[in-house]
Amino acid sequence: MTSEQAFVIGYDISHPRRLLRVHREMCKHASPLEYSIFLLVGSNAAKDRCLREVDALIKPQDDDLRCYALPIRSFQGRIGRASLPAGILWTGLPAAIA
């Protein structure tokens, strides 16, 4: 049985050509939140496969690749005036893990 989890994957790539290759590869596995920050929702095996594919493209002495597991159940809060109509709650996470 594989359970899905959310992972935030970010990178800092020093060479523009490698940066483009890594971005293209990441788009195959995860959803971009920012240019170099991605949300991967999947199993540990899917996360490991993604990291292996990207690791083959980078130079560890020059580049940085990081992956953080998000807590399965966590508190989400917002301070300030609501920007959405009453009754609508946007978590910013895919429905699979919201």
Side-chain angles (χ1 to χ4, degrees), residues 4-9 33 38-41 67-74 76 92-94 97:
E4 289 197 334
Q5 187 172 352
F7 302 92
V8 173
I9 302 173
L33 300 174
F38 285 76
L39 178 67
L40 186 149
V41 178
C67 179
Y68 302 97
L70 294 178
I72 293 173
R73 300 237 184 250
S74 63
Q76 292 183 15
L93 297 174
I97 61 168

Side-chain angles (χ1 to χ4, degrees), residues 17-79:
R17 190 173 290 168
R18 272 199 317 275
L19 176 63
L20 184 58
R21 285 189 206 130
V22 169
H23 183 79
R24 286 181 183 156
E25 186 62 38
M26 284 300 304
C27 285
K28 295 176 187 177
H29 300 276
S31 301
L33 300 174
E34 293 288 334
Y35 189 77
S36 62
I37 305 293
F38 285 76
L39 178 67
L40 186 149
V41 178
S43 65
N44 274 316
K47 182 249 320 171
D48 292 342
R49 184 172 43 255
C50 171
L51 294 177
R52 270 194 314 273
E53 301 277 332
V54 173
D55 194 48
L57 301 173
I58 68 171
K59 288 189 175 180
Q61 67 273 20
D62 297 331
D63 304 328
D64 191 22
L65 174 66
R66 298 183 184 216
C67 179
Y68 302 97
L70 294 178
I72 293 173
R73 300 237 184 250
S74 63
F75 171 76
Q76 292 183 15
R78 181 179 177 149
I79 298 173

